[in-house]
Amino acid sequence: MNVLVINTGSSSLKYQLFDMENQIALAGGVMERIGESQGIMTHKTFSQGDEHKTKKTITIEDHQKAMHLMAELITQKIDAIGHRVVQGGEAFKSATRINENVKNAIQENNPLAPLHNPPNLIGIRLAEDLFPGKPQVAVFDTNFHQTIPEKAYLYALPYEYYTKHKIRKYGFHGTSHKYVAKKTAALMGKNLEELNLITLHLGNGCSICAIKQGICLDTSMGMTPLAGVMMGTRSGDLDPAIFGFLMDNTGMSQKQIDEVLNKKSGLKGICGLNDLRDIHDRSAQGDKLAKLAVEMFAYQIKKYIGAYAAVLGRVDGLVFTAGVGENDEIVRAKALADMSVFGIELDLAKNDVRSSEPHTIHGTNSRVPIWIVPTNEELQIATETCQVLKNSI
Ligand code: AMP
């Protein structure tokens, strides 16, 4: 079965086609800057280990044009479509075959993810028109976190804010956490149900997850992807009183503060840069704020590891993934320094080795294995799409 995975953002469309029998990607690409005067279209095909890439600057007026361009570029057959949907709220505990009720429920969750769910829904509707009769499945970022217990997902606010306004922790990056957890279990030759893992998805967005015997018990992101550890441009956890203080003392509107917290905070807020490669370069040149940004980031990651070790009681593995998790030995070394009390000991030489394959970086005396496992959210979405369709036959 060939599954097309679609991830529609407000100004982008990412896609990947998988041959699920052989578990390989056949094609993939991204349409960027949809709606701007100059868009960028990148398409890749993969064949026997070779990659063929085409990139064009082209006006992509809207999502419909982007979808049509994608459909013209994909020459292989498409049997089913899996959609990434960011916010499933409490309505969806697992991936779901799309029908009218599912679309309505996604729309009902729009207030919880105003930047993400509406374009996700546009992608679903366009794909239904473009590929009539092909089964479509929604895989939600929030699915994996629906097992988080009430004591962990509730905020200590008046209870009716939860019942009336659905204010609670939902968590995000669920497909990534699930993918690397399963992959790590397979690499360790164990069942996921035997293992307690802390998975660290550290990219431009960051989230950390405590997984006990395959069940997610807690995660660092919250009702929105703004919570948790500081990120490239997002603040992460804050004293909630800061929001009101900024409104009272700076004259900024709620919208402007929101913009600061999402786009001008985190690493960028501290040192002006959000890409850790640039930050390390600056730091090497003696820039104090660049150095401070890295120290803060690593410190916050360390705190979550300690907290989740306490939640899990026993940790059988730490798993680093995504751009920073997979590639940044400096952040990993700082976050994991002096953690032998938790049985966590990094091997600094192994930590410095770059590889696109999963590998371990712990020392021989480390009680806790430390893994680097590249994530593959698209493959996880394709896998869940197949599972849903098999179960619905
Ligand atoms: P992602 O959101 O997973 O694509 O991660 C993007 C982020 O990963 C970038 O903003 C960088 O901060 C970081 N990153 C990517 N490649 C490297 C690298 N080779 N070394 C350090 N950080 C990297």
Side-chain angles (χ1 to χ4, degrees):
M1 178 188 272
N2 286 357
V3 177
L4 175 65
V5 173
I6 290 180
N7 180 357
T8 323
S10 54
S11 64
S12 70
L13 165 67
K14 291 187 194 139
Y15 60 92
Q16 202 148 6
L17 180 70
F18 290 95
D19 165 356
M20 295 308 286
E21 270 83 42
N22 296 304
Q23 296 273 296
I24 50 168
L26 300 171
V30 56
M31 308 285 164
E32 294 167 273
R33 303 192 187 165
I34 297 172
E36 291 181 31
S37 57
Q38 293 237 297
I40 307 166
M41 180 186 91
T42 312
H43 181 74
K44 290 180 188 170
T45 50
F46 310 102
S47 167
Q48 289 161 354
D50 285 341
E51 179 183 307
H52 182 256
K53 179 171 158 180
T54 33
K55 192 168 180 174
K56 256 196 208 165
T57 306
I58 175 176
T59 307
I60 311 171
E61 293 89 352
D62 52 22
H63 286 87
Q64 188 169 15
K65 176 78 187 285
M67 280 278 195
H68 278 279
L69 286 170
M70 175 193 73
E72 278 166 23
L73 288 162
I74 297 176
T75 52
Q76 299 91 337
K77 75 178 169 84
I78 297 168
D79 298 305
I81 297 140
H83 293 268
R84 177 197 182 209
V85 183
V86 167
Q87 180 53 275
E90 292 184 329
F92 300 103
K93 311 270 183 233
S94 58
T96 308
R97 180 123 180 210
I98 295 171
N99 57 28
E100 278 311 309
N101 290 341
V102 170
K103 281 183 277 180
N104 290 340
I106 294 172
Q107 191 156 0
E108 274 167 29
N109 282 319
N110 279 356
L112 291 171
L115 300 179
H116 295 100
N117 273 27
N120 294 160
L121 204 49
I122 289 174
I124 290 171
R125 294 209 162 104
L126 288 170
E128 284 175 334
D129 292 344
L130 207 52
F131 310 107
K134 302 283 179 204
Q136 314 243 2
V137 170
V139 182
F140 299 88
D141 276 24
T142 48
N143 280 164
F144 185 56
H145 307 299
Q146 277 294 300
T147 50
I148 295 176
E150 207 174 20
K151 67 179 178 191
Y153 72 63
L154 277 183
Y155 296 112
L157 292 166
Y159 190 75
E160 70 265 24
Y161 292 4
Y162 167 56
T163 50
K164 266 195 207 154
H165 303 292
K166 302 183 179 172
I167 292 177
R168 53 158 286 181
K169 178 188 290 232
Y170 291 100
F172 299 88
H173 295 143
T175 40
S176 176
H177 288 290
K178 193 169 172 179
Y179 175 83
V180 296
K182 278 177 141 183
K183 183 91 188 173
T184 306
L187 290 162
M188 291 171 81
K190 301 251 163 103
N191 290 321
L192 186 53
E193 293 70 28
E194 298 171 59
L195 295 175
N196 291 353
L197 299 174
I198 299 175
T199 49
L200 301 102
H201 179 113
L202 307 175
N204 228 331
C206 299
S207 70
I208 302 178
C209 206
I211 305 171
K212 188 168 191 146
Q213 298 165 347
I215 303 288
C216 175
L217 287 191
D218 207 347
T219 191
S220 57
M221 280 181 169
M223 181 172 108
T224 74
L226 184 57
V229 285
M230 63 192 277
M231 310 176 208
T233 62
R234 288 174 241 168
S235 66
D237 293 337
L238 294 175
D239 178 340
I242 292 170
F243 200 97
F245 182 92
L246 285 173
M247 281 197 96
D248 288 346
N249 290 281
T250 65
M252 279 193 285
S253 66
Q254 183 257 327
K255 215 169 160 207
Q256 285 169 321
I257 298 172
D258 222 48
E259 166 103 3
V260 169
L261 298 183
N262 276 291
K263 306 244 170 83
K264 298 179 181 164
S265 297
L267 295 162
K268 188 171 190 167
I270 298 299
C271 71
L273 298 166
N274 62 289
D275 191 308
L276 275 153
R277 290 164 287 199
D278 302 333
I279 295 173
H280 294 315
D281 284 350
R282 277 274 186 87
S283 186
Q285 290 160 20
D287 185 309
K288 287 205 175 97
L289 290 179
K291 196 163 181 288
L292 175 63
V294 176
E295 294 293 338
M296 287 173 67
F297 184 48
Y299 176 71
Q300 296 190 11
I301 296 167
K302 181 190 284 286
K303 282 209 296 186
Y304 267 102
I305 295 172
Y308 287 171
V311 167
L312 292 172
R314 186 196 80 221
V315 182
D316 302 311
L318 293 185
V319 188
F320 284 88
T321 196
V324 181
E326 290 166 32
N327 297 301
D328 197 320
E329 64 281 354
I330 299 172
V331 167
R332 287 193 305 259
K334 283 185 188 295
L336 299 179
D338 304 321
M339 292 195 85
S340 52
V341 69
F342 292 94
I344 296 169
E345 289 185 40
L346 188 68
D347 180 317
L348 289 173
K350 285 189 194 165
N351 185 43
D352 282 348
V353 176
R354 291 266 169 101
S355 166
S356 56
E357 294 298 316
H359 59 286
T360 56
I361 54 170
H362 52 273
T364 43
N365 291 329
S366 188
R367 206 161 17 90
V368 179
I370 309 168
W371 282 90
I372 296 179
V373 178
T375 193
N376 193 336
E377 289 165 282
E378 292 79 14
L379 180 58
Q380 180 64 27
I381 292 172
T383 304
E384 293 188 35
T385 300
C386 282
Q387 280 161 359
V388 168
L389 296 178
K390 267 190 204 130
N391 294 340
S392 67
I393 285 169

